Structure formats: C-alpha cells, structure tokens
Amino acid sequence: DEVSNLTIYGRLYNYYAVSDNRELCPSGWSVSSDEDWILLTSSLESEGLDSLGVELREPQTWSSPQHLIGRNSQGLNWRGSGNKVSNGDFNNLNNYGEFWLSGCECWVETSSWSIDFWIESADLRMGVSVRCIKDTE
C-alpha cells in the first residue's frame, strides 16, 4: 500500500475485501483456501520436504537468520510483506508474511524465524497479502 513497496510486496487487503462478492481475483482465479494449503502441506510432506515455511519463502525479503533463509523450492515467492493493523500502521515488514484464506476467517502465516507456516484465525480488519490460485475445471 505504500507506493515504495507496491512493486516488491503488492497490496495488503483486509478480510472484507477478500470476502466481498465482487471478487478480488481475476476471472478464473480464486483466493486460496485453508483446504488448498492443507493439500499443499500434504503434497510437500509426501515428497519428503520439511521446514515448509523455509521451502516456500523467497530469500530476498526476509530478515531471517542464515539457517532460515528461504529456498523458494516450489516457486511460490512468499515474501515478507508484513501487515497493516486496523489503525493504519504498517508492521512486521521482512518479518512476517500472511495470506488471507477463503472459506474461513483466517490466514496462513510464516515468520522470518520459523521453519514452518501455520493457519490461524485473525483480526478481519488487518491488511495482509492475498494469494490467488487458478481454478480447477
């Protein structure tokens, strides 16, 4: 949302934008769901991958210790975009990355000092990233 960060991190949205019936994603795409992330987790674990937060994070936008630098092994390019709290302040740039999820009032999150990611309920007014995925036919 700050002009200087748009190119690198994109916009941050609150949950009301995600759940709006005008749809945030382009035609043929949808906001990822908790089920999508659970399936992704299962798929990556079945391939023998662990440290899934590290596997999905790209390395350039995180304030991670050397042993937690992102690998981006799946091409997700998960960035440390931080969040925008309800009073309008921006927080946690390069330390947290969250994506709103459809179908639940929650997001998927990772942090620069974690090896993993997790799904948790969230303050619906906070601004975080959105990941659109191509609809299956």
Side-chain angles (χ1 to χ4, degrees), residues 13-19 31-38 78 97-110 117-131:
Y13 300 89
N14 64 29
Y15 186 76
Y16 304 106
V18 172
S19 62
V31 173
S32 60
S33 70
D34 56 337
E35 294 161 353
D36 294 323
W37 284 86
I38 291 166
W78 194 340
E98 298 107 349
F99 294 119
W100 280 116
L101 301 176
S102 64
C104 68
E105 294 178 347
C106 57
W107 61 38
V108 61
E109 174 179 66
T110 190
F117 64 83
W118 54 93
I119 295 172
E120 65 183 10
S121 60
D123 180 345
L124 305 182
R125 300 168 295 169
M126 286 189 64
V128 304
S129 300
V130 170
R131 190 73 181 193

Side-chain angles (χ1 to χ4, degrees), residues 1-2 6 9-14 17 24 81-85 89-91 93 98 100 126-130:
D1 288 55
E2 289 184 0
L6 282 177
Y9 302 100
R11 295 207 181 272
L12 303 178
Y13 300 89
N14 64 29
L24 190 60
S81 54
N83 50 50
K84 184 177 180 181
V85 294
D89 289 344
F90 292 90
N91 289 322
L93 186 65
E98 298 107 349
W100 280 116
M126 286 189 64
V128 304
S129 300
V130 170

Side-chain angles (χ1 to χ4, degrees):
D1 288 55
E2 289 184 0
V3 175
S4 61
N5 290 333
L6 282 177
T7 304
I8 298 168
Y9 302 100
R11 295 207 181 272
L12 303 178
Y13 300 89
N14 64 29
Y15 186 76
Y16 304 106
V18 172
S19 62
D20 189 287
N21 63 4
R22 291 174 288 179
E23 300 186 3
L24 190 60
C25 297
S27 179
W29 295 74
S30 299
V31 173
S32 60
S33 70
D34 56 337
E35 294 161 353
D36 294 323
W37 284 86
I38 291 166
L39 286 171
L40 175 63
T41 300
S42 295
S43 174
L44 296 175
E45 287 174 344
S46 72
E47 294 176 21
L49 295 174
D50 57 3
S51 306
L52 298 182
V54 174
E55 292 294 337
L56 299 176
R57 289 195 301 262
E58 61 80 39
Q60 287 80 29
T61 62
W62 293 91
S63 298
S64 298
Q66 188 63 35
H67 70 288
L68 295 176
I69 293 290
R71 293 186 193 113
N72 199 31
S73 67
Q74 306 302 303
L76 185 71
N77 293 313
W78 194 340
R79 298 186 177 186
S81 54
N83 50 50
K84 184 177 180 181
V85 294
S86 57
N87 72 2
D89 289 344
F90 292 90
N91 289 322
N92 297 308
L93 186 65
N94 305 115
N95 290 314
Y96 277 94
E98 298 107 349
F99 294 119
W100 280 116
L101 301 176
S102 64
C104 68
E105 294 178 347
C106 57
W107 61 38
V108 61
E109 174 179 66
T110 190
S111 72
S112 60
W113 53 87
S114 175
I115 63 168
D116 230 335
F117 64 83
W118 54 93
I119 295 172
E120 65 183 10
S121 60
D123 180 345
L124 305 182
R125 300 168 295 169
M126 286 189 64
V128 304
S129 300
V130 170
R131 190 73 181 193
C132 297
I133 59 171
K134 188 151 181 59
D135 295 338
T136 57
E137 298 188 37

